[in-house]
Amino acid sequence: MMRSASREALIHYSFAAAALFAVGILAGIFLLLLTEGFPVFRHVSVSQFFSWNWNPNAYGQPEYGILAQMLGTIMVTVGALVFSIPIGIGAAAYLSEIAAPRTREVIKPLVELLAGVPSVVIGFLGIVVTGPWLARSTGASNGLNALNGSLLLGLMSLPTIVTLTEDALRAVPAEFKAASLALGANRLQTLVRVTIPSAATGVIAACMLGMGRAVGETMTVLMATGNALAPPSGFLDSVRTMTATVAIELGEVPFGTAHYHALFVIGFVLFVFTFVVNSVSDLVLLRFQRKMQG
Amino acid sequence: MKKLLIFFCLLMTVVVSCAKPGSEPHSASATVQIKGSDTELNLVQRLAEEYMKKTPDARISVTGGGSGTGIAALINKSVDIANSSRAMEQSERDQAKANGVDPWDYVFAMDGLSLIVHPSNRVSTFTLDQLGRIYRGEVKNWKEVGGADSPISLYGRQSNSGTFVYFRNTVVKGDYSTEMKQMNGNAQIVEAVKSDKNGIGYVGLGYIKDRNTGQVISGIKALSLRSDGAAVSPLDPTNITSGKYPLLRPLFHYTNGKPTGMGLGFIQFELSEEGQRIVEREGFLRINEKYKQQNSTKIG
């Protein structure tokens, strides 16, 4: 047997190695995207890259502008959150505060099951069910647009938001609620003014993870938003997201060409995108926690 | 400590056994990997099923992803046969050569690329010139081509598709309209046009023909096309075999050099009378004499 001090050290370093491993992989991805992506600026100027037209397989002169795709990604993500945050928090509040334990035991696993539906199935749903339905209700001739993508991505981020929000709400100490009720607040006031604000850290984290799900989702938007290259002018226009572009084009792109490097820069932009979202949400959380303590 | 050691040994065994299958995908007994064209996907899958029924020890796996993806995989030596609904481009041939790949092509079926619209659409024929103007985005309303007063909703494929490239080079002869919705496969275009009154899309013949009647499936209408002379329908086999249909195109397999073993056996089966009958049953067309002769020099 080893002496306990060296055993402690072994355990300490193996856990540290595990943590560093995750960070190392992240740094590796960052470097890969940077080194594979950056050479595109030998072929294309930065201002051309941040322009509206993306047409790498052009009949004539190829173009590598990514603004339309960035807008597409932002539109479907924001649209998804508009659907999923109110519904998700509402569902979580119902499950944790209102529903009888037995109801919760049935509904929560069912909501979580939604996370297991393959994205290609959701995308197909978008083509044959929600798309035609949106077309009928908006009067457009088809429903393969940003709204359709938002709807489906909202649906896909619901399980994340519901599950994590419910956990956060349930973690709020019972004393908080009891105190609020004792002071004469009704259950709705207690929920909105006490329970949800106390759980805000967890609720915001849940929404951020839901947002991450929406930003990174590929197959569903690739099938259900039409992928037109024209910059969208509204939610009833077809959009193409950054993830869809990489998924469509990376498989066939000749190695080492401007097109190849451009796809890696799109990956880099997506990476920065999620990094900024996470950092901002961390800052928000920090400020919020200080406020609660102060 | 002993437990930890056993656990470690088990872990290593798992890692090693997981790593093994991927390292040598091309040994003689391995599965024949076929990848590429979405247009060819269902057809080649059916042919492979029939071949495996006849040859019990044959293993063939067929996946899609688009012609461009299949050709890229052939160049990277990760598949045995690439399916492609377009001919390989010179840049791809150069790349293959640089990678030590010698592409051989076989034409195993013919396709009449079909234009489909919603059944309620008044339009039933187009000239290739009109089609080009529509897909370039120069004509944006159905009334300009004899239809109702409503915007044209364009459906096409994605850039990894051979059909995308074929239609662009043959008909559009320019860039596609940026408003064109880029769909992920033939079946998706069919589904989209079924529910879009203003829609128009292009798909392989096998995706619009009913297996039993030989007529167009319900929910869509196939347009007759005219290049010069009379307009002809893709559904009339005599038009297609005589070469009158303007969007008649060969469907290719590409291999690295002459295929061996099971890959060769499979291609020989496809080109046999039995294989060609399956091609027809799946809604596509048998190859003509010209391609038969080209093939025969490569499989003999």
Side-chain angles (χ1 to χ4, degrees):
Chain A
M1 286 303 288
M2 261 187 280
R3 285 189 316 128
S4 79
S6 54
R7 221 164 93 186
E8 284 292 325
L10 181 73
I11 290 167
H12 176 98
Y13 286 118
S14 53
F15 277 105
L20 281 179
F21 181 70
V23 176
I25 294 279
L26 193 71
I29 291 174
F30 184 82
L31 278 179
L32 175 82
L33 292 175
L34 208 63
T35 51
E36 290 294 298
F38 203 67
V40 76
F41 296 111
R42 274 189 296 216
H43 307 271
V44 186
S45 76
V46 176
S47 62
Q48 278 173 327
F49 197 76
F50 290 97
S51 67
W52 290 99
N53 295 324
W54 174 267
N55 190 8
N57 295 290
Y59 195 68
Q61 191 64 27
E63 290 172 294
Y64 301 97
I66 67 162
L67 283 188
Q69 300 164 37
M70 285 178 75
L71 184 61
T73 293
I74 291 169
M75 280 171 74
V76 293
T77 307
V78 170
L81 293 179
V82 167
F83 286 113
S84 59
I85 289 181
I87 297 177
I89 293 182
Y94 169 78
L95 287 176
S96 80
E97 305 297 316
I98 300 163
R102 189 177 282 177
T103 320
R104 178 175 59 230
E105 276 162 31
V106 175
I107 294 185
K108 203 179 175 192
L110 284 179
V111 171
E112 283 163 1
L113 208 60
L114 191 61
V117 179
S119 51
V120 64
V121 174
I122 307 259
F124 190 69
L125 205 73
I127 293 181
V128 299
V129 182
T130 59
W133 174 71
L134 278 177
R136 276 197 303 279
S137 29
T138 59
S141 78
N142 67 82
L144 297 173
N145 51 32
L147 188 60
N148 195 19
S150 302
L151 209 62
L152 298 166
L153 289 185
L155 188 72
M156 295 178 80
S157 48
L158 259 186
T160 314
I161 295 180
V162 172
T163 310
L164 293 175
T165 304
E166 205 256 357
D167 290 345
L169 292 178
R170 299 236 289 160
V172 173
E175 292 86 354
F176 284 29
K177 289 177 236 173
S180 166
L181 292 169
L183 286 169
N186 62 29
R187 281 174 80 185
L188 180 69
Q189 287 169 327
T190 305
L191 177 69
V192 175
R193 304 242 179 106
V194 176
T195 316
I196 293 180
S198 316
T201 319
V203 175
I204 292 175
C207 297
M208 285 297 161
L209 280 173
M211 183 172 176
R213 179 93 167 93
V215 171
E217 176 49 45
T218 306
M219 198 59 204
T220 301
V221 281
L222 193 152
M223 290 171 78
T225 62
N227 296 312
L229 292 163
S233 53
F235 272 87
L236 295 182
D237 278 354
S238 165
V239 295
R240 178 190 270 228
T241 63
M242 293 192 274
T243 48
T245 303
V246 175
I248 292 167
E249 295 171 10
L250 195 61
E252 47 127 10
V253 67
F255 179 80
T257 54
H259 186 192
Y260 172 87
H261 296 305
L263 291 177
F264 276 89
V265 180
I266 293 180
F268 182 76
V269 171
L270 268 170
F271 187 95
V272 170
F273 203 82
T274 38
F275 187 78
V276 168
V277 166
N278 280 331
S279 309
V280 168
S281 65
D282 274 354
L283 278 177
V284 169
L285 283 176
L286 204 69
R287 193 167 281 185
F288 185 80
Q289 280 164 344
R290 282 210 193 115
K291 203 172 121 197
M292 293 294 280
Q293 285 159 1
Chain B
M1 214 48 229
K2 204 171 159 193
K3 264 187 195 160
L4 203 67
L5 200 71
I6 293 172
F7 174 73
F8 187 73
C9 290
L10 276 176
L11 194 74
M12 286 316 287
T13 325
V14 171
V15 168
V16 169
S17 56
C18 283
K20 215 173 172 185
S23 57
E24 195 49 52
H26 291 295
S27 63
S29 63
T31 308
V32 176
Q33 299 283 352
I34 307 181
K35 187 182 180 71
S37 168
D38 176 77
T39 307
E40 295 175 21
L41 181 60
N42 288 354
L43 172 60
V44 177
Q45 255 168 359
R46 179 52 57 88
L47 285 162
E49 277 166 27
E50 296 290 332
Y51 181 68
M52 285 187 281
K53 260 186 226 162
K54 283 166 55 89
T55 328
D57 57 339
R59 283 201 189 77
I60 301 173
S61 121
V62 189
T63 52
S67 303
T69 314
I71 289 173
L74 184 79
I75 294 170
N76 294 331
K77 300 181 188 169
S78 57
V79 293
D80 304 291
I81 301 176
N83 286 339
S84 179
S85 61
R86 61 170 169 86
M88 243 173 128
E89 282 163 13
Q90 192 53 47
S91 61
E92 289 167 330
R93 285 187 180 278
D94 295 342
Q95 235 192 323
K97 207 172 165 191
N99 257 16
V101 171
D102 171 29
W104 285 36
D105 58 275
Y106 298 88
V107 175
F108 69 99
M110 304 289 286
D111 177 30
L113 187 65
S114 309
L115 271 295
I116 56 171
V117 294
H118 195 270
S120 69
N121 201 318
R122 286 209 298 265
V123 174
S124 57
T125 58
F126 267 139
T127 64
L128 288 191
D129 179 57
Q130 278 174 319
L131 267 182
R133 278 188 284 147
I134 288 171
Y135 269 91
R136 283 193 299 273
E138 294 160 12
V139 171
K140 288 179 185 293
N141 195 301
W142 281 106
K143 75 177 174 196
E144 294 171 60
V145 285
D149 181 8
S150 47
I152 297 176
S153 170
L154 292 175
Y155 292 91
R157 294 284 305 282
Q158 296 167 348
S159 59
N160 54 2
S161 152
T163 311
F164 175 100
V165 176
Y166 169 82
F167 193 73
R168 186 189 66 188
N169 295 351
T170 318
V171 177
V172 183
K173 295 183 176 142
D175 276 324
Y176 283 110
S177 159
T178 53
E179 316 245 308
M180 178 178 83
K181 285 176 271 299
Q182 301 195 355
M183 309 298 283
N184 198 23
N186 287 279
Q188 291 185 17
I189 293 184
V190 172
E191 286 304 325
V193 171
K194 268 184 189 171
S195 60
D196 190 341
K197 282 198 174 65
N198 303 331
I200 178 168
Y202 52 80
V203 290
L205 191 54
Y207 285 83
I208 66 159
K209 245 193 211 176
D210 187 296
R211 298 272 180 286
N212 301 319
T213 63
Q215 292 304 303
V216 69
I217 54 174
S218 67
I220 54 169
K221 181 162 98 173
L223 298 176
S224 297
L225 299 184
R226 183 165 56 202
S227 57
D228 39 25
V232 293
S233 159
L235 290 153
D236 182 348
T238 54
N239 285 332
I240 292 211
T241 40
S242 68
K244 270 190 200 149
Y245 188 70
L247 298 183
L248 189 66
R249 59 173 181 162
L251 298 178
F252 296 95
H253 281 325
Y254 283 95
T255 57
N256 179 11
K258 187 179 177 178
T260 52
M262 226 150 39
L264 181 64
F266 176 58
I267 291 179
Q268 282 167 339
F269 169 74
E270 289 182 310
L271 301 178
S272 71
E273 179 57 29
E274 191 184 353
Q276 291 295 300
R277 250 191 242 127
I278 297 170
V279 167
E280 283 183 317
R281 208 174 62 212
E282 292 299 306
F284 291 93
L285 305 152
R286 59 172 64 226
I287 51 174
N288 60 25
E289 279 307 317
K290 182 182 117 195
Y291 290 119
K292 243 183 222 167
Q293 271 167 15
Q294 280 181 16
N295 290 331
S296 66
T297 59
K298 292 174 197 160
I299 51 170

